[in-house]
Amino acid sequence: MKIKNICCIGAGYVGGPTMSIIAHKNPNIKVNVVDMNADKISAWNSKDLDNLPVYEPGLSKVVKEARGRNLFFSNDINKYIDQADMIFISVNTPTKTSGEGMGYAADLKYIEACAKQIAEVSKTDKIIVEKSTVPVRTSEKIRQILKLNNSHVDFQILSNPEFLAEGTAMRDLEIPDRVLIGGDKTPDGQKAIESLVKIYTSWVPRKNILTTNLWSSELSKLTANAFLAQRISSINSLSELCEETGADIEEVSKAIGMDSRIGSSFLKSSVGFGGSCFQKDILNLVYIARTLGLEKVADYWEQILIINEHQRNRFSSKIIDFIKKENLEPEVLMLGWAFKKNTNDSRESASIYVTNNLINNSIKVDIYDPKVKEYQVNFDLSSLNPDYDASLVNYIDNPFINISSYNTVVITTEWDEFKDFDWKTVYNNIKKPAYIFDGRNILKSEIIKKIGFNYLGLGRN
Ligand code: UDX
Ligand code: UDX
């Protein structure tokens, strides 16, 4: 089937950038991105390209070029489902908060609702593409819902997980390591796969497009994320060992990563990984393993999350203990709220947990982030703890405005501007003794110590 019209349900961090690139690279295909959130759609349609709902370097340029030509954003979900030959499902799949699998399993209610809506609206054959990260065998569930609610139309189901990382989404989409497409082994399934392959070959070399069966594709996405997270917890566990032994985690990480069999990526020690995917996907993997009776497998992967939480708490305790022990002002300047640099996304950011720990110890936290807005900070804290003491949290637009009242700076996101600060001037104005808790190991400890700061990184002495 030659695809002329695509609909994507979900205009979030995955749907928005992915569809922008597909439209940009395929000017002859009409791409309609729909979402039930009206505010989000008007923001995607806004003239102010600096305030799109998703901040990603390079995104606004692509949106500017394709929007109104063959890329459209709308709330009229039914209309664009009806028109489409191919429908991507990019809605969120959060961890369940109630019912069977609570706290572990992915909640598929939005995916299931989309499948029902597609079935009810469709009058012509369609290819349905799972973009959202889902538990293995979700496509079977989608197939059942489609069949049950519409027996006149042929639906082919594909799995096409997205591997983009936030902050580098546009680059990852432009030059993906691989595009993964899973589908049925039947002739119709293979034809559907080829329709999607054709869209990607507009810019991705064919050799980088991997086709598999549906289940392999679904499971590969979950486990790729689990592998990445596992490397971070491994290096973070070693950071504690470094502090006890006098080794330096940055040196250890470099030495390990230079082994070409291991590789140097994802070996940066940090206050803990965040983001919408790693925790959710590992919980899901643990749940699947437990459901299948594979207790040892489940325990193995769960340990990654235990170390991640331990690292956040360990970092918070260092700050709290120093403030108490050294009798410092119980007020810190927190630099960073996003879960990593170059994004406005703060889902599961370590900064949320660290702040919660600090305010539970009556420490005031003034927060600065170049891209995350104040309402999001309040939303994140109240989602973690509805009774949090808001009087202890302050969102600031300029990190230096109140600098003379702090003894302590806490770095939670690795934004370049923090690395590039004139730390000498900061030191001259900050209250003494001055402490920096570098939860990202972004500063050169020797230089910072020379200026006069007491420097505490992770796994560094
Ligand atoms: C999400 C998941 O986090 C990820 O695991 C999955 O791979 C893809 O979906 P993301 O794009 O980051 O990724 O989520 P989010 O930014 O929350 O976007 C989802 C969008 O779907 C939201 O804008 C929401 O309004 C929309 N949505 C959700 C619908 O339009 N309809 C629904 O029924 C549910
Ligand atoms: C991740 C996967 O990388 C991507 O392939 C998938 O599609 C979605 O999930 P994302 O969560 O956007 O992407 O960002 P990523 O770069 O993987 O970082 C996740 C977290 O790990 C961040 O909090 C980051 O700061 C942290 N991290 C990453 C480290 O602490 N150390 C590292 O070495 C790398």
Side-chain angles (χ1 to χ4, degrees):
M1 187 197 276
K2 188 164 182 343
I3 304 299
K4 295 199 192 79
N5 191 308
I6 288 176
C7 172
C8 171
I9 311 178
Y13 284 91
V14 172
T18 310
M19 291 305 124
S20 300
I21 285 282
I22 288 185
H24 169 65
K25 301 287 187 185
N26 292 277
N28 298 324
I29 301 179
K30 195 169 170 204
V31 180
N32 294 297
V33 189
V34 297
D35 200 292
M36 63 184 188
N37 181 332
D39 291 341
K40 202 173 262 191
I41 289 297
S42 28
W44 278 112
N45 283 324
S46 153
K47 283 209 176 83
D48 179 7
L49 286 162
D50 288 336
N51 271 316
L52 295 176
V54 170
Y55 171 73
E56 277 295 336
L59 173 63
S60 58
K61 190 168 158 262
V62 173
V63 170
K64 187 172 176 212
E65 188 231 51
R67 200 176 59 185
R69 180 190 71 191
N70 66 325
L71 173 67
F72 303 91
F73 295 91
S74 170
N75 283 125
D76 198 341
I77 303 180
N78 284 352
K79 178 174 164 189
Y80 293 109
I81 288 179
D82 182 31
Q83 288 184 1
D85 316 309
M86 181 177 268
I87 301 174
F88 287 79
I89 303 181
S90 299
V91 297
N92 37 335
T93 49
T95 304
K96 277 179 100 166
T97 50
S98 61
E100 201 192 325
M102 178 179 127
Y104 284 90
D107 194 339
L108 297 179
K109 66 179 176 208
Y110 299 128
I111 300 252
E112 289 167 4
C114 286
K116 191 152 182 279
Q117 193 170 2
I118 292 170
E120 284 166 358
V121 171
S122 297
K123 299 194 275 294
T124 53
D125 294 352
K126 297 188 193 307
I127 298 170
I128 311 302
V129 187
E130 277 175 0
K131 202 47 153 163
S132 306
T133 306
V134 290
V136 60
R137 301 201 79 89
T138 299
S139 50
E140 200 47 46
K141 215 172 241 175
I142 296 178
R143 194 193 308 277
Q144 281 165 7
I145 296 173
L146 291 170
K147 266 205 170 140
L148 196 71
N149 293 281
N150 187 336
S151 52
H152 312 295
V153 166
D154 180 56
F155 293 108
Q156 287 299 320
I157 301 170
L158 300 178
S159 157
N160 172 221
E162 187 45 66
F163 293 100
L164 68 81
E166 289 174 33
T168 52
M170 302 314 281
R171 193 195 64 201
D172 298 344
L173 286 164
E174 284 258 5
I175 344 170
D177 288 349
R178 78 309 207 180
V179 168
L180 179 58
I181 303 175
D184 282 339
K185 292 288 176 198
T186 59
D188 284 345
Q190 294 301 303
K191 270 191 215 150
I193 289 180
E194 278 315 308
S195 305
L196 186 52
V197 165
K198 195 141 195 299
I199 292 172
Y200 281 108
T201 46
S202 300
W203 79 98
V204 180
R206 182 64 183 86
K207 67 175 175 28
N208 291 3
I209 303 177
L210 185 64
T211 59
T212 65
N213 78 27
L214 275 167
W215 325 128
S216 306
S217 173
E218 289 178 340
L219 189 62
S220 301
K221 168 66 201 218
L222 265 193
T223 44
N225 275 348
F227 261 72
L228 292 169
Q230 179 247 15
R231 286 175 68 100
I232 304 169
S233 278
S234 295
I235 206 75
N236 280 344
S237 75
L238 295 182
S239 72
E240 191 170 14
L241 196 58
C242 283
E243 285 163 27
E244 296 301 319
T245 56
D248 183 303
I249 196 66
E250 295 299 314
E251 291 175 354
V252 172
S253 166
K254 188 168 179 194
I256 296 174
M258 280 174 76
D259 186 323
S260 60
R261 294 168 302 175
I262 297 174
S264 59
S265 306
F266 275 73
L267 287 181
K268 181 78 187 165
S269 187
S270 69
V271 56
F273 58 75
S276 72
C277 287
F278 285 176
Q279 172 160 310
K280 168 174 73 75
D281 291 350
I282 292 172
L283 286 170
N284 204 352
L285 188 62
V286 169
Y287 178 71
I288 294 170
R290 288 239 158 87
T291 313
L292 296 169
L294 310 176
E295 284 301 325
K296 290 271 186 273
V297 176
D299 290 349
Y300 173 75
W301 290 106
E302 191 160 30
Q303 198 59 33
I304 293 165
L305 297 177
I306 293 171
I307 288 289
N308 199 48
E309 187 181 352
H310 174 64
Q311 186 79 343
R312 295 190 303 237
N313 289 339
R314 205 168 78 72
F315 184 67
S316 315
S317 298
K318 268 178 194 265
I319 304 167
I320 295 161
D321 293 349
F322 260 94
I323 287 180
K324 286 190 181 145
K325 197 171 85 197
E326 306 292 318
N327 212 9
L328 305 175
E329 200 62 47
E331 181 177 19
V332 307
L333 170 62
M334 179 175 280
L335 297 177
W337 194 257
F339 80 97
K340 62 186 284 197
K341 74 173 180 179
N342 293 340
T343 177
N344 61 343
D345 191 353
S346 59
R347 287 176 290 180
E348 286 303 323
S349 179
S351 54
I352 309 169
Y353 296 91
V354 172
T355 302
N356 190 51
N357 288 341
L358 296 182
I359 57 182
N360 283 342
N361 282 275
S362 306
I363 296 168
K364 197 165 168 286
V365 187
D366 286 357
I367 297 153
Y368 167 75
D369 188 281
K371 287 288 171 198
V372 182
K373 304 260 188 329
E374 180 171 9
Y375 70 82
Q376 187 62 45
V377 171
N378 296 332
F379 173 83
D380 291 338
L381 287 168
S382 55
S383 303
L384 179 64
N385 174 9
D387 303 320
Y388 86 97
D389 185 350
S391 71
L392 289 174
V393 179
N394 196 16
Y395 178 88
I396 51 176
D397 291 325
N398 179 343
F400 303 119
I401 203 94
N402 205 18
I403 196 79
S404 60
S405 72
Y406 313 106
N407 287 117
T408 308
V409 178
V410 176
I411 299 175
T412 39
T413 313
E414 74 282 22
W415 286 100
D416 288 343
E417 70 179 74
F418 302 155
K419 207 166 29 186
D420 298 340
F421 274 169
D422 177 357
W423 285 101
K424 182 112 188 66
T425 307
V426 175
Y427 182 76
N428 289 340
N429 295 312
I430 201 168
K431 196 165 180 169
K432 310 292 178 322
Y435 281 79
I436 293 186
F437 291 85
D438 185 356
R440 293 289 184 162
N441 285 357
I442 56 172
L443 301 181
K444 289 209 166 20
S445 57
E446 289 315 314
I447 296 176
I448 292 291
K449 282 180 189 166
K450 221 172 175 180
I451 291 174
F453 284 103
N454 294 291
Y455 177 85
L456 285 107
L458 286 158
R460 295 164 115 183
N461 292 284

